[in-house]
Amino acid sequence: VQLQASGGGLVQTGGSLRLSCTASGRTSSTYVMGWFRQAPGKEREFVAAISRVGVSNHYAMSVKGRFTITKDNARNTVYLQMNSLEPEDTAVYFCASSLEFWNLARVTKVSTYAYWGQGTQVTVSS
């Protein structure tokens, strides 16, 4: 499975961005798609995840109510709509896919995901 993330950029505080992640290859083998982010000097952290059919989703508390994860199965694409952006949201954002079934206790963990995209930079200026 190959993942291609796009949509990052520079935005002012309070602005919005939409990230996209398109999967190719054996996408039928993956069950969960997630977004993570990593700021300079910090560990990679969970942002949001969505189940294969899009029925289940989960968000980090820091983004809940501001970010929305959706997916378009016909296009093998997952989106992350980010609103009310804050400087603390500045990071490289990575999409990832998992071979595991949806498990709320597992979707927040980096180790759950087998495949990773290359990352896209999001910078929020104050």
Side-chain angles (χ1 to χ4, degrees):
V1 177
Q2 296 78 45
L3 302 175
Q4 181 70 41
S6 61
L10 173 64
V11 65
Q12 291 185 332
T13 297
S16 298
L17 282 174
R18 189 178 79 157
L19 305 184
S20 300
C21 175
T22 299
S24 59
R26 294 189 62 183
T27 58
S28 61
S29 64
T30 61
Y31 293 92
V32 178
M33 295 292 294
W35 286 98
F36 287 72
R37 66 187 182 186
Q38 189 166 18
K42 294 188 177 182
E43 292 188 353
R44 193 167 296 190
E45 64 173 5
F46 170 77
V47 175
I50 191 166
S51 62
R52 181 172 177 174
V53 296
V55 172
S56 300
N57 55 54
H58 185 59
Y59 297 91
M61 287 301 296
S62 60
V63 306
K64 199 167 187 178
R66 300 188 298 123
F67 291 11
T68 303
I69 187 170
T70 57
K71 65 182 317 202
D72 183 339
N73 285 328
R75 291 181 168 82
N76 287 326
T77 299
V78 175
Y79 303 98
L80 186 68
Q81 178 66 43
M82 306 186 295
N83 299 329
S84 302
L85 282 162
E86 305 166 351
E88 293 74 23
D89 296 315
T90 295
V92 177
Y93 283 69
F94 298 89
C95 62
S97 63
S98 173
L99 300 172
E100 300 182 19
F101 293 117
W102 179 267
N103 181 339
L104 198 55
R106 294 276 301 157
V107 297
T108 62
K109 302 182 186 301
V110 170
S111 61
T112 297
Y113 298 84
Y115 305 102
W116 292 83
Q118 84 287 4
T120 184
Q121 176 71 47
V122 171
T123 303
V124 184
S125 62
S126 58

